[in-house]
Amino acid sequence: MNKSIIFVAVIALLMIGMAGTAANAQTAPFYSSQVSFPSYVGTGQQFNITITSTAGFSNYNYTIYIAGTNLTGISPTNTIHQYYPSKYNYTASITAPDVPQTLYLYIVTSADFDGIQENYSEMITISVVSPIYFHVSLSNPSAYPVYNVTATFYVDGVPVIQKTVPKIMPGSTVEVNVTYVNPNLGHGSHTLTVTLNNANIKIDGNANSITTKFYYGTPPNYDWIFYVFGVVLIFMVIMVLGSNRGRNQPKWKRSKK
């Protein structure tokens, strides 16, 4: 066989191999991860973080590092790590700490493609706020059961929570408890209104709806007013006693001009 023909054949094979390699490099998917998480949670509340990475890789690793000012009550208490040979999504369940703060979570993922490891990282923040617990009693004074009673909770005129009771038996009472979390609710006095979709059911045994006031945050301390009043009162007493002291002195003790 002609050496030139062999040389051309070798070159052709090399070109085909290089073309195959280039084709593999071009078809290699771009690796990334999408992280789904709540922007805020209540203290002690359980929440999920879902990580979805690019499909078609292998040896998926998911790691979550958690930091905050006070992690008392958080669970799990250590760094979260999970490995899957081929599963490209993962959901971590976390219990928020007992103290309001900002949680910082550093997400790190990796996966292999043709023996090459690809990596992704992202920093997310979650606000931990103090929840508000609302409680009402729904009573059925009628002689027949009532189904699908929905209680709607309004805060400052805005509907925030709905809860449906499947069934209330005649002459019975059902307790409804809801948890309200709002990181934008300002500290101070607010109005709570609860209404029902059934006129036969009574709230706390009285009416079909109720309106009340509640305070969110630490109530202001007005003790300083009493302290100031006490100081002023003592000062006034001293002034009065001092002015009366000169008037009550005997005439022979007064200085002569």
Side-chain angles (χ1 to χ4, degrees), residues 53-54 59 63 65 75 82 92 96 100 108-109 129 131 141 143 156 159-160 179 182 190 201 210 212 223 240-241 244:
S53 298
T54 306
N59 299 323
T63 306
Y65 302 91
S75 178
Q82 185 63 49
V108 179
T109 73
V129 299
D156 298 331
V160 294
T179 301
N182 183 356
H190 298 272
I201 303 300
I210 61 167
T212 185
D223 290 345
V240 171
L241 293 177
N244 290 335

Side-chain angles (χ1 to χ4, degrees), residues 105-117:
L105 297 95
Y106 187 53
I107 312 297
V108 179
T109 73
S110 67
D112 295 343
F113 189 88
D114 282 346
I116 299 176
Q117 186 182 73

Side-chain angles (χ1 to χ4, degrees), residues 3 29 33 40 45 50 60 63 82 109 124 145 147 156 160 202 209 220 224:
K3 291 183 178 180
S33 295
Y40 60 88
Q45 178 182 350
T50 299
Y60 289 90
T63 306
Q82 185 63 49
T109 73
I124 64 174
Y147 299 89
D156 298 331
V160 294
K202 306 301 179 182
S209 66
W224 62 273

Side-chain angles (χ1 to χ4, degrees), residues 27-79:
T27 57
F30 174 76
Y31 178 77
S32 183
S33 295
Q34 299 292 329
V35 183
S36 300
F37 61 96
S39 58
Y40 60 88
V41 295
T43 55
Q45 178 182 350
Q46 189 178 69
F47 63 95
N48 292 334
I49 295 179
T50 299
I51 307 171
T52 303
S53 298
T54 306
F57 287 73
S58 62
N59 299 323
Y60 289 90
N61 285 279
Y62 304 93
T63 306
I64 303 175
Y65 302 91
I66 305 174
T69 56
N70 188 339
L71 298 182
T72 302
I74 197 168
S75 178
T77 58
N78 53 357
T79 299

Side-chain angles (χ1 to χ4, degrees), residues 159-233:
V160 294
I161 300 176
Q162 280 191 336
K163 190 166 185 179
T164 299
V165 180
K167 181 179 180 181
I168 303 179
M169 295 299 293
S172 64
T173 299
V174 175
E175 308 294 333
V176 175
N177 300 285
V178 298
T179 301
Y180 176 54
V181 180
N182 183 356
N184 300 316
L185 187 67
H187 287 196
S189 180
H190 298 272
T191 301
L192 170 66
T193 300
V194 184
T195 62
L196 303 178
N197 65 338
N198 193 307
N200 295 320
I201 303 300
K202 306 301 179 182
I203 299 178
D204 296 333
N206 296 318
N208 189 247
S209 66
I210 61 167
T211 298
T212 185
K213 293 284 186 180
F214 69 94
Y215 196 96
Y216 180 67
T218 303
N221 188 350
Y222 296 107
D223 290 345
W224 62 273
I225 296 179
F226 298 99
Y227 297 145
V228 172
F229 176 75
V231 172
V232 172
L233 180 61

